[in-house]
Amino acid sequence: MKLLIGLGVLAAMAAAASPALAAGDAVRGKTVFAQCAACHSFNPAKNDPGPNLKGIVGRKSASVEDYIYSGAMKRSDVVWDESTLNAYLANPRVVIPRTKMPFAGMPEPQDRADLIAYLKTQ
Ligand code: HEC
């Protein structure tokens, strides 16, 4: 019993520290990607106005060679995994202050989870 209460507290703390990632639906995520498609594709040769997102899950930030990133993104030194993408997509300018990505953020956790599930397939 005591252990269960302890685990509950830990889970609550983890949820407060960073937005929890819900289970994602890649099929739905493809439709959510419409919000990104004006600026991003998965074509390594197409990096305008945003860098291509091919293999983005597991990719190091600012690693598309031909792309001119903001200084903030160059210095960010993150690996885009589920957790960093979840935080960045929720609030790009809070996670990477002065990023030049002109996107206000995606407030719905389920949208982010579905989108990340889709990004993993690319
Ligand atoms: C209006 C254009 C625009 C939209 C819409 C947009 N982005 Fe971006 N994105 C950019 C730009 C520009 C950058 C480069 C940011 C920098 O250098 O600071 C970027 C950077 C990124 C990066 C970092 C890439 C890297 O190589 O490190 C990720 C990840 C990303 N965007 C994902 C998304 C996703 C997912 C969406 C949809 C929810 C989205 N973006 C919507 C323009 C956009």
Side-chain angles (χ1 to χ4, degrees):
M1 191 61 195
K2 214 174 189 178
L3 177 66
L4 282 178
I5 293 168
L7 285 175
V9 170
L10 274 181
M13 282 166 62
S18 61
L21 187 68
D25 174 349
V27 173
R28 192 176 165 272
K30 186 173 181 176
T31 64
V32 179
F33 187 75
Q35 294 181 46
C36 324
C39 302
H40 294 288
S41 78
F42 301 103
N43 178 351
K46 193 181 170 300
N47 297 298
D48 184 40
N52 82 80
L53 298 181
K54 175 129 190 91
I56 190 68
V57 183
R59 203 168 91 182
K60 204 179 155 323
S61 60
S63 59
V64 171
E65 275 186 24
D66 301 339
Y67 187 75
I68 300 168
Y69 289 95
S70 63
M73 189 61 79
K74 278 192 237 162
R75 285 186 300 271
S76 66
D77 195 28
V78 299
V79 172
W80 296 120
D81 60 15
E82 288 182 345
S83 149
T84 52
L85 280 170
N86 189 34
Y88 180 64
L89 296 175
N91 217 330
R93 289 203 186 83
V94 167
V95 174
I96 313 246
R98 307 181 73 104
T99 176
K100 67 172 183 172
M101 172 156 127
F103 181 73
M106 188 175 284
E108 278 301 319
Q110 193 63 56
D111 287 351
R112 297 196 305 270
D114 293 345
L115 175 59
I116 292 167
Y118 173 64
L119 291 176
K120 278 180 163 175
T121 68
Q122 298 302 308

